[in-house]
């Protein structure tokens, strides 16, 4: 059974930084793509960044403010967020699956989410 647990969210002022973590159980982590999604109230869930099993990364247009990484030996993935803006406020979810499934939002494994609030 695979479980994903996010952590690291919180309240931060505009311009601040946060580092989200996603910890996976099980033994499939290193073979699969990790994605970070976010969903703000009243908006559709959107893929923010993904990192494949081989380390290839993809981002929405964030002007380089976010960096996704992974540490397979620890079954962990990270989303470093800098220069945060109020419009970045959302619940952030990590997901694990094939590259196609993560990009489509149809991957089987999802975390419970962590709230990020950017406000002064």
């Amino acid at each position: 059974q695979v479980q994903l647990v996010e952590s690291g969210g919180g309240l931060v002022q505009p311009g601040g930084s946060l580092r989200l973590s996603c910890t996976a159980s099980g033994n499939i982590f290193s073979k699969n793509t990790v994605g970070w999604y976010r969903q703000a109230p009243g908006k559709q869930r959107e893929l923010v960044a993904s990192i494949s099993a081989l380390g290839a990364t993809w981002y929405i247009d964030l002007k380089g403010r976010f960096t996704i990484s992974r540490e397979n030996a620890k079954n962990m993935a990270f989303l470093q967020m800098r220069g945060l803006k109020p419009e970045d406020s959302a619940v952030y979810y990590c997901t694990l699956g094939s590259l196609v499934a993560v990009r489509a939002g149809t991957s089987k494994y999802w975390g419970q989410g962590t709230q990020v609030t950017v406000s002064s």
Side-chain angles (χ1 to χ4, degrees):
Q1 183 70 13
V2 175
Q3 290 187 325
L4 303 176
V5 179
E6 302 96 337
S7 61
L11 173 64
V12 63
Q13 292 187 342
S17 299
L18 283 175
R19 188 192 194 209
L20 305 184
S21 299
C22 174
T23 304
S25 62
N27 59 2
I28 67 168
F29 180 83
S30 64
K31 301 180 180 70
N32 283 275
T33 293
V34 177
W36 283 98
Y37 276 80
R38 67 185 179 186
Q39 187 166 24
K43 294 189 177 180
Q44 285 192 332
R45 184 181 61 185
E46 65 174 347
L47 178 62
V48 173
S50 67
I51 183 166
S52 73
L54 297 179
T57 57
W58 176 91
Y59 300 91
I60 59 170
D61 184 12
L62 294 165
K63 302 290 191 289
R65 297 186 295 117
F66 291 9
T67 303
I68 190 171
S69 61
R70 64 190 299 161
E71 200 166 334
N72 288 337
K74 296 184 178 180
N75 273 14
M76 294 185 74
F78 307 95
L79 186 68
Q80 178 69 54
M81 306 186 293
R82 301 179 179 88
L84 284 163
K85 304 175 181 181
E87 52 264 41
D88 294 317
S89 298
V91 178
Y92 284 71
Y93 301 90
C94 69
T95 184
L96 181 71
S98 70
L99 180 62
V100 171
V102 166
R103 293 281 181 90
T106 58
S107 38
K108 182 177 180 181
Y109 304 108
W110 291 81
Q112 82 289 348
T114 186
Q115 176 71 48
V116 171
T117 302
V118 184
S119 175
S120 54

